[in-house]
Amino acid sequence: LTIDTSGTGLHKRGYRVCDVAAPIKETLAAAMVQLSFWKAGRLLVDPCCGTGTILIEAAFIATSRAPGLTRRFAMEAWPVVNHDYEKIEEIRREARLKFEEGLKRPINISGSDINPEAIELARRHVKQAGLEGRIRLSVRDLRDVTIVDEPGVFIANPPYGERLDNSRAAHAIAKQLGILQSRHPGWTLCAFSADMGFEREYGRRATRRRRYYNGRIECEYHIFEQSTRG
């Protein structure tokens, strides 16, 4: 016996109103952040941020923002639950207060993408998520990304061949991510890809890896721990 208490899929947080090609689900993005060993307060950068999903999920974690804060759940319409509606609203009020307190904490999260349309959508999503002004966004080629702050974590969901039907471009991006980490000593880089030759193009083997499915596409999450090269 199974009972659907959620209704709309749990990855539907309510902030992502539209997307460019090949989006990543919010739940998967949150898992990527949690598996990266990044901690709130440390610098996090997504150099291929697209419409900002990884950045927003990281900011939710950093500010203790309940991911379902602005959505409704199927169980709220159940007759057995309806008479306890005030209790549900009380839980929501507590979650809102926790988020408001979390917004007082400093966060250091930024992202960039070569696609201006993606960055414009990312700004809209950040605002929709209640995080306006808390995430830095810019239009920038991956090859031009240089961070002068103290070492942090790069997390990326770069384009890969099966997803956008351009394996040559995917290989080039994997190579550039390897170069990106090599010029940022002390940084950890995490990348999600369906390209089975990703590590070869990157230039080193991942310290850790996890296998997932992005929709029906089998992918690996590569974690390249702190680089000592400069």
Side-chain angles (χ1 to χ4, degrees):
L1 175 66
T2 59
I3 301 175
D4 181 8
T5 60
S6 302
T8 303
L10 288 174
H11 69 281
K12 299 285 188 181
R13 314 292 211 203
Y15 63 81
R16 200 163 73 176
V17 293
C18 47
D19 276 299
V20 292
I24 189 170
K25 285 188 176 181
E26 296 89 327
T27 44
L28 182 53
M32 289 168 59
V33 173
Q34 292 172 325
L35 288 168
S36 72
F37 305 109
W38 171 80
K39 301 294 183 184
R42 190 181 182 193
L43 177 58
L44 184 150
V45 177
D46 183 348
C48 310
C49 73
T51 59
T53 305
I54 292 172
L55 303 174
I56 292 170
E57 293 298 326
F60 280 0
I61 293 169
T63 57
S64 302
R65 200 269 202 189
L69 187 61
T70 59
R71 58 162 288 159
R72 294 287 171 176
F73 298 88
M75 63 87 179
E76 294 181 59
W78 295 355
V80 70
V81 175
N82 201 40
H83 70 280
D84 284 334
Y85 187 75
E86 182 54 36
K87 292 182 180 179
I88 296 173
E89 287 305 302
E90 182 179 348
I91 293 171
R92 280 203 172 93
R93 283 193 294 271
E94 290 175 358
R96 290 190 193 100
L97 286 173
K98 193 173 183 180
F99 179 43
E100 289 170 7
E101 287 298 313
L103 285 173
K104 296 176 183 179
R105 297 193 291 266
I107 60 175
N108 197 358
I109 298 173
S110 64
S112 58
D113 198 280
I114 196 171
N115 185 346
E117 180 186 354
I119 291 298
E120 182 57 35
L121 289 177
R123 291 194 175 101
R124 291 173 59 184
H125 293 166
V126 166
K127 182 176 181 180
Q128 186 75 11
L131 295 164
E132 189 172 16
R134 306 307 305 275
I135 297 174
R136 300 183 301 278
L137 296 165
S138 62
V139 178
R140 188 174 302 174
D141 190 301
L142 173 61
R143 293 168 292 187
D144 298 328
V145 174
T146 301
I147 312 297
V148 296
D149 295 339
E150 63 183 38
V153 178
F154 291 111
I155 304 180
N157 174 40
Y160 41 84
E162 288 186 47
R163 193 175 61 160
L164 293 180
D165 196 28
N166 192 340
S167 58
R168 183 176 298 178
H171 291 336
I173 291 174
K175 182 177 181 179
Q176 286 302 320
L177 286 172
I179 294 171
L180 174 68
Q181 187 182 27
S182 70
R183 67 172 180 261
H184 290 86
W187 282 69
T188 292
L189 190 145
C190 308
F192 189 79
S193 180
D195 181 4
M196 293 300 108
F198 186 90
E199 290 172 304
R200 182 185 65 251
E201 300 298 331
Y202 190 92
R204 60 178 283 206
R205 291 188 64 81
T207 313
R208 306 168 188 264
R209 67 180 66 81
R210 295 283 188 93
R211 188 157 294 183
Y212 293 96
Y213 279 87
N214 186 12
R216 296 183 178 181
I217 303 174
E218 185 177 1
C219 302
E220 282 191 339
Y221 187 41
H222 305 85
I223 298 176
F224 301 90
E225 292 184 357
Q226 298 180 355
S227 170
T228 58
R229 293 177 291 174

